[in-house]
Structure formats: C-alpha cells, structure tokens
Amino acid sequence: DDIGRLVVSCQDGPGIVALISAFLYRHGANILQSDQFSTGSRGGRFMLRTEFHLDRVSERLPLLERQFEFEVARRLRARFRVRSAATPTRVAIFVSRHDHCLLDLLWRARRGELPIEVVTVVSNHPDLERDVAGFGTPFTHIPVTPRTKPEAEQAQLDAIAGKVDLVVLARYMQILSADFLDEVGVPVINIHHSFLPAFAGASPYERAKQRGVKLIGATAHYATEDLDEGPIIEQDVVRVSHRAGVGDLVRRGADIERAVLARAVDWHCADRVFVDGSTTIVF
Amino acid sequence: DDIGRLVVSCQDGPGIVALISAFLYRHGANILQSDQFSTGSRGGRFMLRTEFHLDRVSERLPLLERQFEFEVARRLRARFRVRSAATPTRVAIFVSRHDHCLLDLLWRARRGELPIEVVTVVSNHPDLERDVAGFGTPFTHIPVTPRTKPEAEQAQLDAIAGKVDLVVLARYMQILSADFLDEVGVPVINIHHSFLPAFAGASPYERAKQRGVKLIGATAHYATEDLDEGPIIEQDVVRVSHRAGVGDLVRRGADIERAVLARAVDWHCADRVFVDGSTTIVF
Amino acid sequence: DDIGRLVVSCQDGPGIVALISAFLYRHGANILQSDQFSTGSRGGRFMLRTEFHLDRVSERLPLLERQFEFEVARRLRARFRVRSAATPTRVAIFVSRHDHCLLDLLWRARRGELPIEVVTVVSNHPDLERDVAGFGTPFTHIPVTPRTKPEAEQAQLDAIAGKVDLVVLARYMQILSADFLDEVGVPVINIHHSFLPAFAGASPYERAKQRGVKLIGATAHYATEDLDEGPIIEQDVVRVSHRAGVGDLVRRGADIERAVLARAVDWHCADRVFVDGSTTIVF
Amino acid sequence: DDIGRLVVSCQDGPGIVALISAFLYRHGANILQSDQFSTGSRGGRFMLRTEFHLDRVSERLPLLERQFEFEVARRLRARFRVRSAATPTRVAIFVSRHDHCLLDLLWRARRGELPIEVVTVVSNHPDLERDVAGFGTPFTHIPVTPRTKPEAEQAQLDAIAGKVDLVVLARYMQILSADFLDEVGVPVINIHHSFLPAFAGASPYERAKQRGVKLIGATAHYATEDLDEGPIIEQDVVRVSHRAGVGDLVRRGADIERAVLARAVDWHCADRVFVDGSTTIVF
C-alpha cells in the first residue's frame, strides 16, 4: 500500500503544523487525514497524527525517517514515529481460562478487522490450546505458581523478546511484576472487567451486584506498576437490572469486555492513542 | 381516574401471587399490569407491584386497605401500600445555585410528565427565586452557614412537615445531618454528579478529568447517613473525549444529571422502586 | 432442573391472574418470576409468562399440561405452552458466507449462554464448513440457484423436518419462498442489517452511507412472506461518522448484527417473545 | 476573546494544509485545534476547520480575511469563512405549540452553553409568548392559514431579514415553501421527530408504535425543498418497550428531540458542520 502514518509529540508552540505539513508536501506526501491536540497553548504538549499518501512508502520510509529527524524533529525536540499503514503490529496475547476476549481478537485478526499479526498466545493454563490451534496461531503454555513466578515471567519474556510490538492481556488473571513490565520493552494493554475507577481490584462483578449499580462496564488501559491505575484507552457500559445475578453480570460483562478490548487494540495499533501522564488522547 | 396501585413486600413463600390476585378479583379489581421479584425462593424477599382497574377507586380505597390488611397482609406479615394512581406525590425540592435539575423537574411537572405536585422549593440561596416563581411554585429561602446549620435544618423541617411525601435534592450542595434524615420522615432522593461508586465525594468532574475516564455519569440514590452510599435508583453515562475540559464535563454532565434525576423521581412516585438493603429493585 | 415455564395468551378479562396463580399453587408450583401484559383492558389480548419451581418438573410435565388444559385453558380459551426451562430449543442455522452471526451463536451455545442446541447448520456455500466442524456441529451444504431453488428448499426442509423448533437466518442471503415458510412449521428468525424500517431491502449499508445517517443498526425479526416486514424482536444501533466508508459500516454493523441476533434468539428460546399482529411483546 | 476560527473547503490536492498552516503562522496565529477531511484524495472535496489564537482577533479580522482571500483562497479556488469565536450566531427560532425544543434552546443560550443570540421567536400560535418573555426574548406571533400562507411567510421574512444568521425550526408544524427557503438567505435547521429515513412525513410516533420498533429517535437536518430529505446533522435514539403507548413515545421522544436539536445548533454555530451534497461532515 501507499499509505504512511506519522505521529509526533512535542512541546506546543507556534508554527508546528506549518513545519510538519510543509515537510510532507516537500517530500511528495499528500495528507489524507490529520488530527492534532494540545493540552494547553502555552507550555502544553502538542500531539499530531497524520495519514498521508506517498508512492512506494515502505521503500522510502528509512530515508523519510532520517529526513524528518533532521528537518523537523530536532528543531521541535519532538518524539515521532513514521511507518507504513500496511505493516501490521506484532502482538502477543496473554490469557488464562476465559476465552471470550482471546477468541474475539483472533477472529477479528483473521477477518482483517484488526491491523495486527498475532505472533503467539501465552497462557498459564493449557485449556485454550485447541481453540487457538484452529486459528493457526502458536500457543505457549507457561504454568505460573507463586513459587515459580519469577522463572515463569522470564520464560514469557524469552518467548516474546524481539518478536512483538505489543502485549495484550486478554483476561490474564495473573498480576505481572514491575520487573516484567520494565523488561518487556513494549506497551502492555489490559482489560479490566469493571468501569474503572469503580471496583478496581478483584471480583468487580460481585461488588457491582452488592452495590446495586444499574450499569456495569469494562475498561481497557495500559498496564503500569500501579495495578488498575494505568492510562485508560477505552471504556463502555451496559445496563443491568435487579433480575441479573452475578452470573448474568459476568456473561453480559464479557460482551463489553471483548468489544472494549478490540477497540483499544485497534486504536493502539492504528497509532491513534497518545499517553499523556495518567491519561490518554485518542484520535 | 379508576386506576389503583398496590405494592406489597414480604418474605417469599408459595401461594403469595394466588392470594393477592384472588383478593383483587374478589373485590372487583382487574389487574392491568403486574411485576414481581423475589431475592431468592427460600427465605428471600418477595416484592410485587400491581396496577388494577377498579371503579371509583379513590372512594373505595380506605375500605380496600382495611380489607387487604385483614385478608392478606396479616397472613403474609407483609408491608403494603395501596393508592389511586391519580393522586400525585407531594414533593419538596431542595436546591442551591445550579438550576438544571430544578427547572427540568418543574417543567416536567407542568407538562404532566411527572406524577408529582411540587409543594415548595427550598434553597440556601435566593438566586433561583424568580425562575421558580415563573412556575407558580412557592420558594423558601433558608440560608445555611456552618454555625446556623441546626437552626436552618429545623426551619427546613418546619417548612415541609406534614406537607410532602418526598424530598428531592436537586443539586443541593449541603450535606444533610443524620438528625434531619431521621426526622424528615419521608424518603429523600439525591442526585450525585458521578457514576457512583466512582468519584464519590466532592469535585467528581475534576477527578474524572484527572483520571482520564472515557465516560462520565450521574447517579440518583436515596440519601442515607452514609454519604453517597445510599441505594442507587438510576444511573446513566455519556461519552467524553480528551477535548472536553472540566467545564465541558460539567455541562455535559448536567444533561445526564437532570435526565437521571427525572427518571428516578418518576419511578419513585409511580411506586416502582423497592429498597432491598443497600440496593433497589426497580420495576 | 426443577424450573418450569408457562406462557399463556388469551382475550383479556377479570380474574385471569388469580385463576392461573391458584392453579400453580394448587399443584405445588412456586412462582419465581412472572410477567404479564395486556394490549387493552377490554377486548385486548392478555399475555403471561411465568417461571416456577416444581420438584421433578420434567417428569410431571405431561400431566401438568393436561391439567392446565382442563382446569384453566378451556375456560379462558387460551393458548398456552408449558415446559422445563432445562430443555434446550433445537435450532437450525441458515447461513451464506458471512461468518460473524453464525460463529457468535455457536460460540455462545458452547459457553452455555444460549438455551439452544444447534442441530445443524445449512448453507448454500461450502465456505464455513471447517469453522462449523470446529464446534462439532453438523454442516449441510445445499447449493441454491434460481433454477434449482424449489428443489433446494425441499432439501432444506428434509434436512430439518421434525428435528428443530426454530430456524435462524444468520445472514442467509437467499429469500425464502412463501411455500418454505408455510411448510417449515416452526418460527424463523432473520437478522436484517439495517435499522428497519429504514433501508429495507438490499444494500442497506450503501444506502445508509449515501443518506448520511449518523447511526447504523440491525434488526432481528420473525420472517414472514412480506420481506423485511415481519414482527421486530430486537434492534440496536451504533454511531458512525463521516470518516467511515461503506466498508467500515459493514464491519461496525457486523458487531451490532451478531449482538442483536444473539439477544433475539436468547429471548425467543426463553419464551419471552409474544407475537401480537405485526409487533412483538418482549418480557 | 483572542480565538479565531477558519473554515475552508476546496477541491482536494497536495499541499493545502501546508499552505493554510503557513499562512496562519506567517500572520501570527497559533493553531489550537484543527480538523480536516477529504471525500477522496483525487478529485474529492477537502474540508478544514481550524481554531487559532491571535491577539485582538476581532479587530484584525477584516484584514486577515482579505489576506487569506489573496494569499490562499484564490490559489485553491476555495470557499472559506473566518470569524472570531466570541461572536455569537444570531438565531430566529420558529415554533408552534410544543415547548420542549424551544425552552431547551433558550435555557441553554441563557446558561452560555450555546454560542447563539436568540434574536426572536416566531410562532404561528400565541401560546408560548409568556414563556419566551421570561427569557427576555422578543416573540413575534404570525398566524398562518392555508389561505394566508404567502403573506405570513412574507411577514416572517420581514421579521428576520438581515437580523439572523440561522433559522431553527423547533417543532414548527408548518411546511415552509420553496420560495421561503430560497429567499431567507441563511441556513434553516429542522428537528424531525423520527430516526430518518424511517417514518419520514407525518405522525412518526404513531407509525413507530404500529410497526413495533424497539428504538425511537429524532433527526436534526438542514431544511431543503425536499421535505425530510435535507442533509442530516445529528440523530439519536432511545429504547422503548411494548408497554409504551403512543403518548409515552411522544414524551420520551421529546427528550431526544431537544437533545439532538441542541447538539445540531451547537455544532452548526461552532462552524463544525460542512454540507457535502446530501450529507454532512461534522467535526
């Protein structure tokens, strides 16, 4: 394909859009779509995402990247990334026993709905191996016990090192250590089965039932050391009534979880998500 | 009108519906609509709400009430209430300076959308007097300071004693004392400007912005001594983006607040809400 | 299980609930949940759905049915059905090439989320055979051409005759003849990929794009001779923006289609849907 | 205020963003927010909306406009508009007897939620005069009968000529003639009480009830000669059940109507809506 994508963030100031759009024009790229946002016009953070048309973009990418670095990024002290929209994001999916988020991601990837390549599925249980095999995706079973957790995490890191751009926790019921998050070197997206910050922690559906809320929800966020505190990418809710028991909440919640996680992965892999401190900008 | 309404709650057991429906049939009432729910078939709590047609229901109500007490309620050790659907609930609205919830309730009452009669509006500020006057509703200004709070609450109680069946806190920015809630003798519905239990307490929109949630909401609940912990009647949410500042959240939230509060008041006054411990059943 | 379900419909009149609930009480059944609705208190249609607890309900069903016929149904000239909640509805799914509705139904059935047993999948294309095999469900490939349609429909009827209680058209892209609908003898549920009555007929997403609507939707309805005119069971919508091309509408619509169809099938199989002329009552 | 707003549309081609952003930079304007869209990269239509900071923008606007015309618009053969964000849009609201859309607009304008100045309310009935007076807004009663329609429309045109930038039909139950739309010279926004294109024309709620739809909605669109066919600005829906009669649909629909109309007016007046043939782009 001939579609490229450029994301830039830097301190806000005058002339940034002019500088970047002139660069693209000069190098023959035609802007198809562009989003920008600033957290404040003075001293705020400027973020921009552009999709552009450029013949043979993959081939010209290495040069374009160096030119952008030299002609634009240095002047703005900007962080940027430029890539071909046709290059899929390489993903490792971590999962335990619940299949709904995993299968939905695999199915959407197969349909071409998500710009991802699922490199491997990693699980602390063997239960879902056969389902994953049906999609032709490698499955790595790494058991985890409290005693073996450090070794297990090392095995997980070995299994994905250098092979993935993103880790997705698709109802992975283990807490990843700070060390793991440190060493993995790529973003980690988690799906939490509540409308955070409500019911952070364990057993959110039980607690939702107990509190008598009228809507339950799910939250996709970047995993950080502070459990359930990472920047939120997407959330959604569904109405429930007094008739629904905890089991019904779990079932109805599963639909929200898989929808929210799929959207978060889609947006992340389309370079639409910018982290700004404890929050996100989603174009 | 000839529509009556019966609500019953008691310990669950066999034959309750048969007993109640036979009673209604025997006394010439034709069931139009009926809802029931049990929190568990053994030892659970049974709740029923029935609307029935009965000629000259208002006139026959006192007798029907005694008959139900004698023929049904005693056997079931049930709590019940029977009334004409045409009788409006008498309401006092407490408000501070935000006008949106108050005006929405007054406007809906005038349109005949809510089965209420607003007996008086009580405010700790004089700001909304003129708007309330436009609806022909009495306005009682009772200033409240930390020092005068006990006297102010007494004045509030005096202003509504025996005149209302419900107090609605339509963004009343003072915390009512446990004594007030004790003595007021009627249910009190509050609207909280967050999706409880998230952001309970003060400044929910500021905290929602800070946390970067993707949906904001509002919660209508019965006021109890435990602030923001009362049984939830209704909640709703609206999607917000990174572009929305705190001011935008306040504005968009106002639309949700007034919608949620109007629904909660409507349902309460239509006898559709049953409190069950810390939660509600809403038929 | 010991849960039974009774659905009744008859002309409205006084005493119906009393009669039915007394019957259940007399035969030892304890009502767990009950819904009723009348299309008008005089001359209207009364509909009731009750779930009750009765020891060894499956075993006692044949007798209970005769007793209800004799003691209640004849007096009310009522149509009724009583069955064990544990008995799954036997379903044939018809599909062409789109996999999303089919896979979602099969997956939910496997998870135990739908009270159905998928007896067979019938398709006019062989494409989805392998996916269906993964669920252990029989797959019947019956090609259809304009010339062979009568024979094909006969083959379809033969494949399901006496084996199913429901046919689900899960994006089956052929129009079933009036003869087929006549002879199939069980309800047929269809999913239409628009928010009916808007964009009835072919190519709804193209037409939605052209008209510039801001929400797209899907509709599950009972199939009747009048194409896209059958009683609606469930509908839902999702917001779309100008950025979404027809391809995006198709993708986003697919999520709505599968959700709406799953809900409609669930409700139908839980005996929650009553047809009333060209509309439905859904408890 | 120092915030300006520039909207541009022209045939798409390379270098447009660079040209416009360089212009703004050159004249000291700092882009705060920018949206763009193209209906196709070759031969499509390019649309851009930018908010920028510029000291004393109102004062400098006439010169900036001429400079943009000379330096940018001529080269691109572009249509554009530049204005101060602080300048409210002058609006005439047409209404008949339903008060909900009118009062909501007046109330939001008073709260400062809508960037509008309601110059006058025009009605074919005197009913709402007192409510409008409460907001201090002029009310013009112009009766309309089939026989007097031409004169009435002329009186309407006289009442608003040169004084307004927008006409809002807030449940105005008369059809405006093609001549009126021709001569009024400003956009006209209408609220239709259905989810168009479903139930175009009269009595949508009755027809929605009859068809048994599970969601009802409202549509705000630009009025054109083809009744109910103008470009859609915004739509929304609300769930309804079989319990809701036509009167309930009217009441619940009223909430959607006023919300949808308020959003459409807000977006139009914030220059966020571009008409593209029979559809709109809404930034």
Side-chain angles (χ1 to χ4, degrees):
Chain A
D1 216 348
D2 295 338
I3 311 288
R5 206 184 284 141
L6 170 69
V7 295
V8 182
S9 70
C10 61
Q11 204 188 326
D12 200 5
I16 300 175
V17 177
L19 194 64
I20 295 172
S21 53
F23 171 87
L24 290 169
Y25 179 52
R26 207 159 57 231
H27 291 87
N30 188 21
I31 295 176
L32 299 173
Q33 188 179 312
S34 187
D35 288 286
Q36 59 170 99
F37 181 71
S38 173
T39 59
S41 61
R42 283 176 203 190
R45 190 102 194 131
F46 171 92
M47 286 159 268
L48 176 140
R49 176 191 186 272
T50 294
E51 283 194 0
F52 55 86
H53 180 275
L54 180 66
D55 288 336
R56 294 170 295 118
V57 67
S58 297
E59 193 176 310
R60 297 163 71 179
L61 219 48
L63 180 57
L64 196 72
E65 195 170 357
R66 282 198 303 277
Q67 288 166 326
F68 191 85
E69 172 69 40
F70 191 75
E71 300 173 30
V72 179
R74 282 190 193 176
R75 274 175 66 180
L76 300 176
R77 297 175 190 227
R79 281 162 36 180
F80 76 102
R81 190 167 64 250
V82 59
R83 64 160 158 161
S84 162
T87 307
T89 299
R90 301 168 306 160
V91 175
I93 303 178
F94 280 39
V95 71
S96 292
R97 278 187 169 121
H98 294 295
D99 66 352
H100 55 287
C101 289
L102 170 70
L103 294 183
D104 202 58
L105 291 175
L106 290 173
W107 172 73
R108 286 180 196 274
R110 185 176 77 176
R111 274 167 74 91
E113 278 192 21
L114 289 176
I116 65 173
E117 181 203 342
V118 182
V119 174
T120 186
V121 172
V122 175
S123 182
N124 55 331
H125 293 287
D127 310 41
L128 300 173
E129 176 154 24
R130 219 188 118 206
D131 279 330
V132 172
F135 287 92
T137 304
F139 181 90
T140 313
H141 176 215
I142 301 175
V144 181
T145 67
R147 224 173 36 82
T148 66
K149 189 162 174 177
E151 294 86 340
E153 288 199 337
Q154 190 54 54
Q156 291 168 344
L157 288 169
D158 293 346
I160 62 175
K163 297 181 199 151
V164 304
D165 311 305
L166 175 70
V167 171
V168 177
L169 309 180
R171 298 300 308 273
Y172 180 64
M173 308 305 276
Q174 300 280 327
I175 294 168
L176 294 172
S177 71
D179 283 349
F180 180 95
L181 291 171
D182 238 33
E183 290 182 30
V184 69
V186 296
V188 177
I189 293 177
N190 182 43
I191 180 75
H192 191 273
H193 43 316
S194 89
F195 182 75
L196 290 176
F199 310 122
S203 305
Y205 292 122
E206 283 80 355
R207 288 151 67 207
K209 179 67 189 168
Q210 211 165 11
R211 183 62 187 91
V213 291
K214 302 303 184 188
L215 303 162
I216 58 166
T219 304
H221 63 94
Y222 290 110
T224 59
E225 292 190 32
D226 301 313
L227 197 64
D228 301 339
E229 292 288 330
I232 294 171
I233 304 170
E234 170 63 341
Q235 306 186 284
D236 215 339
V237 293
V238 66
R239 190 162 282 271
V240 293
S241 88
H242 55 272
R243 289 192 179 181
V246 172
D248 299 307
L249 300 193
V250 168
R251 266 194 295 284
R252 309 214 49 183
D255 278 345
I256 298 296
E257 291 165 31
R258 63 179 185 164
V260 164
L261 182 59
R263 289 204 288 266
V265 169
D266 186 15
W267 297 343
H268 173 89
C269 296
D271 298 313
R272 292 175 58 186
V273 187
F274 290 70
V275 173
D276 180 48
S278 63
T279 67
T280 63
I281 312 306
V282 181
F283 287 135
Chain B
D1 216 347
D2 295 337
I3 311 288
R5 206 184 284 142
L6 169 70
V7 295
V8 183
S9 70
C10 60
Q11 204 187 325
D12 201 6
I16 300 176
V17 177
L19 194 64
I20 295 172
S21 53
F23 171 88
L24 289 170
Y25 180 53
R26 206 159 57 232
H27 291 87
N30 188 20
I31 296 176
L32 299 173
Q33 188 179 311
S34 186
D35 288 285
Q36 59 170 99
F37 181 71
S38 173
T39 60
S41 61
R42 284 178 202 185
R45 191 103 195 130
F46 171 92
M47 286 159 266
L48 175 141
R49 175 191 186 274
T50 293
E51 283 194 359
F52 54 87
H53 181 274
L54 181 65
D55 288 335
R56 293 170 295 118
V57 68
S58 297
E59 194 177 309
R60 298 163 69 179
L61 218 48
L63 179 59
L64 196 73
E65 196 170 357
R66 282 198 303 276
Q67 289 166 326
F68 191 84
E69 171 69 40
F70 190 75
E71 300 172 30
V72 179
R74 282 189 194 176
R75 275 175 66 180
L76 300 176
R77 297 176 192 227
R79 282 164 32 183
F80 76 100
R81 190 167 65 250
V82 58
R83 64 159 158 161
S84 163
T87 307
T89 300
R90 300 169 306 159
V91 176
I93 303 177
F94 281 39
V95 70
S96 291
R97 279 187 168 120
H98 293 294
D99 67 352
H100 55 287
C101 288
L102 169 70
L103 294 184
D104 203 57
L105 291 174
L106 290 173
W107 172 73
R108 286 181 196 274
R110 185 176 76 177
R111 273 167 76 90
E113 278 191 22
L114 289 176
I116 65 173
E117 181 202 343
V118 182
V119 174
T120 186
V121 172
V122 175
S123 181
N124 55 332
H125 293 286
D127 310 40
L128 300 174
E129 177 154 24
R130 217 186 122 206
D131 278 330
V132 173
F135 288 90
T137 304
F139 181 90
T140 314
H141 175 214
I142 302 176
V144 182
T145 66
R147 226 171 36 81
T148 66
K149 190 163 173 177
E151 294 87 338
E153 289 199 337
Q154 191 53 54
Q156 290 167 346
L157 288 169
D158 293 344
I160 63 175
K163 298 181 196 151
V164 304
D165 311 305
L166 175 70
V167 171
V168 176
L169 308 181
R171 299 300 308 275
Y172 180 65
M173 308 305 276
Q174 300 279 328
I175 294 168
L176 294 172
S177 72
D179 284 350
F180 180 95
L181 291 171
D182 237 33
E183 291 182 32
V184 69
V186 296
V188 177
I189 293 178
N190 183 43
I191 179 75
H192 191 272
H193 44 316
S194 88
F195 182 77
L196 292 175
F199 311 122
S203 304
Y205 292 122
E206 282 79 356
R207 287 150 67 207
K209 179 68 190 168
Q210 212 164 12
R211 183 62 187 90
V213 291
K214 302 303 183 188
L215 303 163
I216 58 166
T219 304
H221 63 94
Y222 289 111
T224 59
E225 292 190 31
D226 300 313
L227 196 64
D228 300 338
E229 292 289 328
I232 294 171
I233 304 169
E234 170 64 341
Q235 305 187 285
D236 215 340
V237 293
V238 67
R239 190 161 281 272
V240 292
S241 88
H242 55 272
R243 288 191 180 182
V246 172
D248 298 308
L249 300 192
V250 168
R251 267 194 294 282
R252 308 215 50 183
D255 278 346
I256 298 296
E257 291 166 30
R258 63 179 185 165
V260 164
L261 182 59
R263 289 204 289 266
V265 169
D266 186 16
W267 297 343
H268 173 89
C269 296
D271 298 313
R272 294 174 58 186
V273 187
F274 290 70
V275 172
D276 180 48
S278 63
T279 67
T280 63
I281 312 306
V282 182
F283 288 135
Chain C
D1 215 348
D2 296 337
I3 311 287
R5 204 185 285 142
L6 170 69
V7 294
V8 183
S9 69
C10 61
Q11 204 188 325
D12 200 6
I16 300 175
V17 177
L19 194 64
I20 295 172
S21 53
F23 171 87
L24 290 170
Y25 180 53
R26 206 158 57 231
H27 291 87
N30 188 19
I31 295 177
L32 298 173
Q33 188 179 312
S34 187
D35 288 286
Q36 60 170 97
F37 182 72
S38 173
T39 60
S41 60
R42 284 177 201 188
R45 192 102 195 131
F46 171 92
M47 286 158 268
L48 175 140
R49 175 191 186 274
T50 293
E51 283 193 359
F52 54 87
H53 181 274
L54 181 65
D55 287 336
R56 293 170 294 119
V57 67
S58 297
E59 195 177 308
R60 297 162 71 178
L61 219 48
L63 180 58
L64 197 72
E65 195 170 357
R66 282 198 304 277
Q67 289 166 325
F68 191 84
E69 172 69 40
F70 191 76
E71 300 173 30
V72 179
R74 282 190 193 175
R75 274 174 67 180
L76 299 176
R77 299 176 191 228
R79 282 164 33 183
F80 77 101
R81 191 167 63 251
V82 60
R83 64 159 158 161
S84 163
T87 307
T89 300
R90 301 168 306 160
V91 176
I93 303 177
F94 281 39
V95 71
S96 292
R97 279 188 168 118
H98 293 294
D99 66 352
H100 55 286
C101 288
L102 169 69
L103 294 183
D104 202 57
L105 291 174
L106 290 173
W107 173 74
R108 287 180 195 274
R110 184 176 77 176
R111 274 166 75 91
E113 279 192 21
L114 290 176
I116 65 173
E117 180 203 343
V118 182
V119 175
T120 186
V121 172
V122 175
S123 181
N124 55 332
H125 293 286
D127 310 41
L128 300 174
E129 177 154 24
R130 219 187 119 206
D131 278 331
V132 173
F135 287 91
T137 304
F139 181 91
T140 314
H141 175 213
I142 301 176
V144 181
T145 66
R147 226 171 36 81
T148 65
K149 188 164 175 176
E151 293 86 340
E153 288 198 337
Q154 191 53 55
Q156 291 167 345
L157 288 169
D158 292 346
I160 63 175
K163 297 180 199 152
V164 304
D165 311 304
L166 175 69
V167 172
V168 177
L169 309 180
R171 297 299 308 274
Y172 180 65
M173 308 306 275
Q174 300 279 328
I175 294 167
L176 294 173
S177 71
D179 283 350
F180 180 95
L181 291 172
D182 238 32
E183 291 181 31
V184 70
V186 295
V188 177
I189 293 178
N190 182 44
I191 180 74
H192 191 273
H193 44 316
S194 88
F195 182 77
L196 291 174
F199 311 121
S203 303
Y205 291 122
E206 283 79 357
R207 288 151 66 208
K209 180 68 191 168
Q210 211 164 11
R211 182 63 187 89
V213 292
K214 302 303 184 187
L215 303 163
I216 58 166
T219 304
H221 63 94
Y222 290 111
T224 59
E225 293 190 31
D226 301 313
L227 196 65
D228 300 339
E229 292 289 329
I232 294 170
I233 304 168
E234 170 63 342
Q235 305 186 284
D236 216 337
V237 293
V238 66
R239 191 161 281 272
V240 292
S241 88
H242 55 271
R243 288 191 180 181
V246 172
D248 298 309
L249 300 192
V250 168
R251 266 193 296 282
R252 310 214 49 183
D255 278 346
I256 298 297
E257 291 166 30
R258 63 178 186 166
V260 164
L261 182 59
R263 289 203 289 266
V265 170
D266 185 16
W267 297 344
H268 173 88
C269 297
D271 298 312
R272 293 174 59 185
V273 187
F274 290 69
V275 173
D276 180 49
S278 63
T279 66
T280 63
I281 312 306
V282 181
F283 287 135
Chain D
D1 215 348
D2 296 335
I3 311 287
R5 204 184 285 142
L6 169 69
V7 294
V8 183
S9 70
C10 61
Q11 205 188 324
D12 201 5
I16 300 175
V17 176
L19 194 63
I20 295 171
S21 54
F23 170 87
L24 289 169
Y25 180 52
R26 206 158 58 232
H27 291 87
N30 187 20
I31 296 176
L32 297 174
Q33 187 179 312
S34 186
D35 288 285
Q36 60 170 98
F37 182 71
S38 173
T39 61
S41 61
R42 284 179 201 185
R45 191 103 194 129
F46 171 92
M47 286 159 267
L48 175 141
R49 175 191 186 273
T50 293
E51 284 193 359
F52 55 87
H53 180 275
L54 180 65
D55 287 336
R56 293 170 295 117
V57 67
S58 297
E59 193 178 309
R60 296 162 70 178
L61 218 48
L63 179 59
L64 196 73
E65 196 169 357
R66 282 199 304 278
Q67 288 165 326
F68 191 84
E69 172 69 39
F70 190 75
E71 299 172 31
V72 179
R74 283 191 193 175
R75 274 175 67 180
L76 300 176
R77 296 175 191 230
R79 283 166 31 184
F80 76 100
R81 189 167 64 251
V82 58
R83 64 159 158 162
S84 162
T87 308
T89 300
R90 300 168 307 160
V91 176
I93 303 178
F94 281 40
V95 71
S96 292
R97 277 187 169 120
H98 293 295
D99 67 352
H100 54 287
C101 288
L102 170 69
L103 294 184
D104 203 58
L105 291 175
L106 289 173
W107 173 73
R108 286 180 196 275
R110 185 176 77 177
R111 273 167 74 90
E113 277 191 21
L114 289 176
I116 65 173
E117 181 202 343
V118 182
V119 174
T120 186
V121 172
V122 175
S123 181
N124 54 332
H125 293 286
D127 309 43
L128 300 174
E129 177 155 25
R130 218 187 120 208
D131 278 330
V132 173
F135 287 92
T137 303
F139 181 90
T140 314
H141 175 215
I142 302 176
V144 181
T145 67
R147 223 171 39 80
T148 65
K149 189 163 173 177
E151 293 88 338
E153 288 198 338
Q154 191 53 54
Q156 290 168 344
L157 288 170
D158 293 346
I160 62 175
K163 297 179 198 153
V164 303
D165 310 305
L166 175 70
V167 171
V168 177
L169 308 179
R171 298 300 308 276
Y172 181 65
M173 308 305 276
Q174 300 279 328
I175 294 168
L176 294 173
S177 70
D179 284 349
F180 180 95
L181 291 171
D182 237 33
E183 290 181 32
V184 69
V186 296
V188 176
I189 293 177
N190 184 43
I191 180 75
H192 190 273
H193 44 315
S194 90
F195 182 75
L196 291 175
F199 311 121
S203 304
Y205 291 122
E206 283 79 356
R207 288 151 66 207
K209 179 69 190 167
Q210 212 165 10
R211 182 63 188 90
V213 291
K214 302 303 184 188
L215 303 164
I216 57 166
T219 304
H221 63 94
Y222 289 111
T224 59
E225 292 191 32
D226 301 314
L227 197 64
D228 300 338
E229 292 289 330
I232 294 170
I233 305 169
E234 171 63 341
Q235 305 187 285
D236 215 339
V237 294
V238 67
R239 192 162 281 272
V240 293
S241 89
H242 56 271
R243 288 191 180 181
V246 172
D248 298 308
L249 300 192
V250 168
R251 266 194 296 283
R252 308 216 49 182
D255 278 346
I256 298 297
E257 292 166 31
R258 63 179 185 165
V260 164
L261 182 60
R263 289 203 288 267
V265 169
D266 185 16
W267 297 344
H268 173 89
C269 296
D271 298 313
R272 293 175 58 186
V273 187
F274 290 70
V275 173
D276 181 49
S278 63
T279 66
T280 62
I281 312 306
V282 181
F283 287 134

